[in-house]
């Protein structure tokens, strides 16, 4: 499983990265979190607003910082679907 | 659906608590109650500002009404809470309206629109769609990829930052509804016409080449269909985020405005921001473009300067240049636009603002 944060260095992008890292830690999963800042790569996910949250190559949120519980739920769902 | 209604409406409370529809109905009712209570508190606070401020200044501090300090303090204590309260209310309401608009939907609405009608629509949607400067690049590419004309995309990108709820509240709070309306109408016209002109100039080749090579797939609209409580929370989030960010600027802006109000002599500004100073408008725009301040900080200062003799057109032009055009946005857009297109964008919008400034100095 792979989690990517699509951001351009904006405040909300950084706060999303922080929240995601906390969520992963609290869940106790061993998952890599990557912060993508290259516009060309970001646009491959065809979102219109940053920050974007990508779990297993699927955009699950864009333009907002979801609450930590919501992020945990998203990660859990993806984890179970991946098994 | 009918069955659920029957259960929820049943007088027996025994099993209704486990029924999802029923619990939702309760939380919805409670939410309405909270909203009503919030509105009541808001109105009480608003009504308390004027007597509260004058009690503080004249009864508690025992200041004289003709004193400079009293004039400054009265200005601050009256304007600051009023503008902050207005800000909370308007940002909440606009947040709820915005929850109906997403950039994805806006893009769908703009796709395949004719040039002029497209410019008008794009400028209008620019006000309503949630937008942040940091998303300007993905949004630009997303629009261009869908085949939305360059000029129409620019109408959106000009209107979105220039006409925002913080600016509107500050304008309304400090200048009143007439100047606010002037600002909105002229701002929209500039966005529409500047976008249209940029479209006519046929500058498509000055978009960075990599933009056209991006292969965007189907955009997944990740926004969920929100129910009523969801929209209320969206509005509250907007209040937390926006008011939480701008309140220090509001206070600082009003404090500077208050100092000018109390201490700067009448008519001082007339000599260099007055009606008869022919170079004032272009100078205001030239200074305003690189300055990056949000509306919250600049508007109270401009209101105080206008009281001291600055002309309305010059003031309006300066505010539009500061709020609508910013160096950070230009630098971000440089990633997708080559210099000639950046120059055209800045030049056309700045020219529009200068014309607006001269027109209002001449007419009013």
């Amino acid at each position: 499983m792979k989690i990517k944060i699509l951001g351009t260095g904006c405040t909300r992008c950084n706060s999303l990265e922080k929240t995601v890292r906390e969520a992963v830690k609290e869940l106790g999963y061993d998952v890599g979190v990557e912060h993508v800042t290259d516009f060309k790569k970001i646009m491959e996910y065809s979102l219109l607003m940053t920050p974007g949250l990508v779990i297993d190559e699927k955009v699950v949120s864009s333009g907002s910082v979801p609450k930590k519980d919501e992020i945990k739920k998203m990660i859990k769902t993806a984890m179970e679907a991946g098994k | 659906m009918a069955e659920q209604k029957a259960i929820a409406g049943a007088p027996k409370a025994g099993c209704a608590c486990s029924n999802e529809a029923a619990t939702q109905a309760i939380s919805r009712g409670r939410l309405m109650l909270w909203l009503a209570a919030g509105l009541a508190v808001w109105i009480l606070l608003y009504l308390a500002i004027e007597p509260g401020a004058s009690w503080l200044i004249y009864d508690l501090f025992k200041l004289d009404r003709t004193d400079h300090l009293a004039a400054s303090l009265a200005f601050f204590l009256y304007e600051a809470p009023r503008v902050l309260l207005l800000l909370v209310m308007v940002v909440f309401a606009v947040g709820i309206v915005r929850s109906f608009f997403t950039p994805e939907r806006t893009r769908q609405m703009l796709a395949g629109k004719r040039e002029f009608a497209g410019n008008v629509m794009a400028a209008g949607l620019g006000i309503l769609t949630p937008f942040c400067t940091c998303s300007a690049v993905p949004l630009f590419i997303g629009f261009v990829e869908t085949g939305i004309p360059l000029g129409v995309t620019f109408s959106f990108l000009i209107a979105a930052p220039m006409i925002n709820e913080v600016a509107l509240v500050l304008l309304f709070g400090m200048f009143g509804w007439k100047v606010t309306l002037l600002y909105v109408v002229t701002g929209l016209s500039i966005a529409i016409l500047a976008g249209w002109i940029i479209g006519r100039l046929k500058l498509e080749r000055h978009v960075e080449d990599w933009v056209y090579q991006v292969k965007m797939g189907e955009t997944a609209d990740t926004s969920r269909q929100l129910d009523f409580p969801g929209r209320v929370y969206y509005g509250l989030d907007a209040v937390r985020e926006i008011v939480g960010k701008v309140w220090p600027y509001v206070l600082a802006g009003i404090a500077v405005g208050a100092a000018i109000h109390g201490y700067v002599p009448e008519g001082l500004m007339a000599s260099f921001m007055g009606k008869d100073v022919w170079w004032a408008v272009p100078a205001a725009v030239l200074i305003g473009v690189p300055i990056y301040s949000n509306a919250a900080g600049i508007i109270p200062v401009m209101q105080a300067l206008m009281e001291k003799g600055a002309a309305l057109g010059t003031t309006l032009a300066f505010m539009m240049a500061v709020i609508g055009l910013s160096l950070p946005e230009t630098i971000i857009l440089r990633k997708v636009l080559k210099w000639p297109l950046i120059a055209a964008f800045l030049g056309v919008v700045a020219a529009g603002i200068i014309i607006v400034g001269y027109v209002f100095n001449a007419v009013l």
Side-chain angles (χ1 to χ4, degrees):
Chain A
M1 177 160 163
K2 188 119 192 103
I3 299 178
K4 284 181 192 165
I5 285 121
L6 311 178
T8 45
C10 57
T11 352
R12 291 206 295 180
C13 311
N14 294 334
S15 94
L16 177 66
E17 183 184 352
K18 200 174 139 246
T19 319
V20 168
R21 285 194 192 280
E22 281 170 13
V24 169
K25 208 172 169 191
E26 281 169 30
L27 286 168
Y29 292 161
D30 181 27
V31 186
V33 179
E34 188 192 345
H35 196 142
V36 182
T37 51
D38 182 2
F39 272 120
K40 285 174 210 178
K41 289 206 180 108
I42 290 175
M43 290 320 293
E44 283 168 16
Y45 295 95
S46 60
L47 47 81
L48 293 180
M49 276 169 95
T50 52
L53 179 59
V54 174
I55 300 179
D56 284 334
E57 299 305 302
K58 219 180 111 206
V59 182
V60 291
S61 106
S62 77
S64 68
V65 181
K67 302 230 162 31
K68 205 196 278 177
D69 288 338
E70 283 175 53
I71 294 177
K72 278 185 183 170
K73 215 185 273 171
M74 289 171 188
I75 298 175
K76 263 190 189 160
T77 321
M79 205 66 156
E80 275 152 26
K83 267 176 194 165
Chain B
M1 208 48 214
E3 198 186 1
Q4 272 187 348
K5 241 186 202 160
I7 295 170
K12 273 181 283 177
C15 65
C17 48
S18 62
N19 182 290
E20 213 181 271
T23 47
Q24 249 175 20
I26 290 166
S27 68
R28 198 185 167 117
R30 219 177 250 174
L31 198 66
M32 291 304 273
L33 220 62
W34 274 112
L35 284 180
L39 186 66
V41 170
W42 189 92
I43 291 172
L44 282 177
L45 282 174
Y46 196 90
L47 292 175
I49 294 172
E50 211 179 345
S54 45
W55 177 80
L56 261 178
I57 300 161
Y58 305 118
D59 294 338
L60 192 68
F61 301 151
K62 303 230 184 299
L63 288 173
D64 188 44
R65 270 171 204 275
T66 52
D67 194 48
H68 282 309
L69 182 66
S72 283
L73 213 58
F75 184 88
F76 184 82
L77 288 179
Y78 180 62
E79 295 299 340
R82 207 166 66 89
V83 168
L84 285 177
L85 275 176
L86 281 174
L87 205 56
V88 168
M89 177 65 95
V90 171
V91 168
F92 176 68
V94 170
I96 289 187
V97 172
R98 287 236 167 110
S99 72
F100 289 92
F101 292 83
T102 64
E104 286 81 6
R105 235 171 279 163
T106 293
R107 185 171 69 161
Q108 264 172 22
M109 286 165 85
L110 288 179
K113 283 281 170 309
R114 278 167 189 280
E115 247 182 357
F116 194 74
N119 290 106
V120 175
M121 232 176 122
L125 285 167
I127 303 176
L128 294 167
T129 314
F131 173 80
C132 126
T133 309
C134 51
S135 290
V137 165
L139 202 102
F140 179 87
I141 299 174
F143 275 27
V144 170
E145 288 290 303
T146 330
I148 296 171
L150 196 60
V152 175
T153 305
F154 267 106
S155 282
F156 182 93
L157 285 177
I158 295 164
M162 181 136 53
I163 305 169
N164 64 73
E165 62 271 40
V166 175
L168 295 188
V169 170
L170 266 295
L171 283 170
F172 176 76
M174 309 300 299
F175 287 92
W177 66 269
K178 278 184 197 158
V179 173
T180 313
L181 195 67
L182 268 183
Y183 183 93
V184 172
V185 172
T186 50
L188 268 177
S189 316
I190 289 176
I192 293 165
L193 290 174
W196 183 75
I197 291 169
I198 291 170
R200 293 277 95 190
L201 290 175
K202 303 271 171 237
L203 296 166
E204 277 76 3
R205 70 202 143 91
H206 294 298
V207 172
E208 287 288 348
D209 304 322
W210 69 271
V211 171
Y212 294 118
Q213 288 151 15
V214 170
K215 292 251 168 352
M216 282 180 86
E218 195 64 17
T219 305
D221 192 344
T222 51
S223 58
R224 290 146 298 170
Q225 200 59 46
L226 290 169
D227 51 357
F228 172 70
R231 294 191 194 282
V232 171
Y233 290 130
Y234 189 96
L236 289 176
D237 265 346
V239 170
R240 200 173 310 139
E241 205 181 305
I242 296 174
V243 181
K245 200 174 69 187
V246 304
W247 71 265
Y249 297 92
V250 173
L251 292 187
I254 295 178
V256 175
I260 296 172
H261 183 84
Y263 291 93
V264 172
E266 296 292 327
L268 177 81
M269 295 314 290
S271 52
F272 42 102
M273 278 184 84
K275 252 187 194 185
D276 307 321
V277 190
W278 67 268
W279 47 266
V281 174
V285 174
L286 272 182
I287 297 169
V289 173
I291 290 184
Y292 179 58
S293 158
N294 53 39
I298 205 77
I299 291 175
V301 178
M302 294 317 290
Q303 191 264 349
L305 289 183
M306 214 173 98
E307 249 177 22
K308 305 294 177 185
L312 177 66
T314 314
T315 308
L316 211 58
F318 185 69
M319 291 192 293
M320 278 185 166
V322 172
I323 301 164
L325 290 173
S326 74
L327 219 49
E329 193 192 5
T330 314
I331 292 167
I332 288 175
L333 283 174
R334 174 65 191 88
K335 290 192 196 301
V336 282
L337 311 175
K338 291 180 193 162
W339 283 115
L341 190 42
I342 297 254
F345 160 61
L346 288 178
V348 171
V349 177
I353 295 174
I354 290 173
I355 292 171
V356 165
Y358 275 126
V359 166
F360 283 114
N361 277 354
V363 172
L364 295 168

